Amino acid sequence: MNVLHTWIRWQDRLSEWLGRVVAWLGFALVCILVYEVASRQLLRSPTNWAHEASTLTYGVYAILAGAYTEKWQGHVRIDIFYQRLSPKAQAFIFFIIGILTLILLSLLLQSAYEFAMQSVAMQERSFRSTWAPIIWPVKVMIPVAVVLIMMQMLANTLRHLCTLLGHPLDADPLTHQATDTERDLHGKH
């Protein structure tokens, strides 16, 4: 059980780190948009690349943030009935949902991989602007993001299995207790 707990904590730290890194793409996105607005409004010289660059940057930002969002259980759900259940009943429901989600994500991964490899094979470019950037690296991020989300979903599902088996981890994002990473950052031990 210790190995499982160690892996779950490692996965939580990976998702936390990735979320912090990906957050900087938001800053890059703002910089691109500010540059475009300043060029267009102040210099009367709009760029031919900023709109598309911001779209591609946001695409990568949105898909790579999925694992971080899953770590903190931030995806949309309805918990009217769930919050009235015991911790073990909640863990059981999330365990079943986790298994079903992993099955669906594995189907999505297959399609995303084929989509990305087709884009790589043709060295796909965007022709929405005269800039015509390569876009296959962005499309490769789709299966990468699905794998990262699957890894975090597996960690969360196994966390709930540990609870069901009577070996809960000491910190669970669902209970809003601090994670090991958060305790390390804020000195709460």
Side-chain angles (χ1 to χ4, degrees):
M1 201 57 69
N2 284 340
V3 172
L4 186 58
H5 285 201
T6 300
W7 182 79
I8 291 169
R9 286 187 187 102
W10 176 85
Q11 178 57 48
D12 284 347
R13 285 191 295 274
L14 174 65
S15 294
E16 185 74 27
W17 176 83
L18 185 63
R20 292 173 188 271
V21 169
V22 168
W24 284 100
L25 287 176
F27 178 71
L29 179 61
V30 169
C31 290
I32 292 167
L33 293 173
V34 166
Y35 182 83
E36 169 62 13
V37 169
S39 293
R40 181 180 303 267
Q41 300 298 324
L42 300 176
L43 305 175
R44 304 279 186 234
S45 177
T47 66
N48 65 346
W49 57 268
H51 177 72
E52 198 155 13
S54 65
T55 301
L56 296 173
T57 302
Y58 180 73
V60 172
Y61 171 81
I63 61 175
L64 287 180
Y68 178 84
T69 305
E70 177 56 33
K71 177 196 179 223
W72 291 103
Q73 301 291 309
H75 291 107
V76 176
R77 65 178 180 194
I78 302 171
D79 61 354
I80 296 170
F81 304 109
Y82 168 80
Q83 56 187 278
R84 295 181 183 155
L85 299 174
S86 70
K88 280 208 174 192
Q90 291 176 3
F92 177 74
I93 288 171
F94 268 106
F95 178 74
I96 297 301
I97 290 171
I99 296 296
L100 294 173
T101 303
L102 284 166
I103 291 168
L104 292 173
L105 286 172
S106 66
L107 297 173
L108 176 62
L109 177 60
Q110 181 181 358
S111 296
Y113 178 79
E114 292 169 6
F115 180 68
M117 290 305 102
Q118 181 182 19
S119 183
V120 169
M122 60 191 262
Q123 295 292 294
E124 188 173 5
R125 297 178 89 73
S126 172
F127 293 103
R128 291 179 23 189
S129 69
T130 56
W131 179 41
I134 58 170
I135 59 171
W136 62 263
V138 173
K139 290 189 176 183
V140 166
M141 288 295 106
I142 297 170
V144 169
V146 172
V147 167
L148 291 168
I149 293 168
M150 288 177 76
M151 288 173 57
Q152 186 60 52
M153 177 60 75
L154 180 61
N156 288 345
T157 301
L158 292 174
R159 181 188 331 274
H160 297 302
L161 178 62
C162 290
T163 299
L164 287 172
L165 297 175
H167 300 285
L169 274 88
D170 58 347
D172 183 349
L174 288 176
T175 63
H176 303 292
Q177 294 176 349
T179 64
D180 293 338
T181 304
E182 200 170 21
R183 273 184 279 202
D184 292 343
L185 288 174
H186 300 295
K188 298 175 186 171
H189 294 282

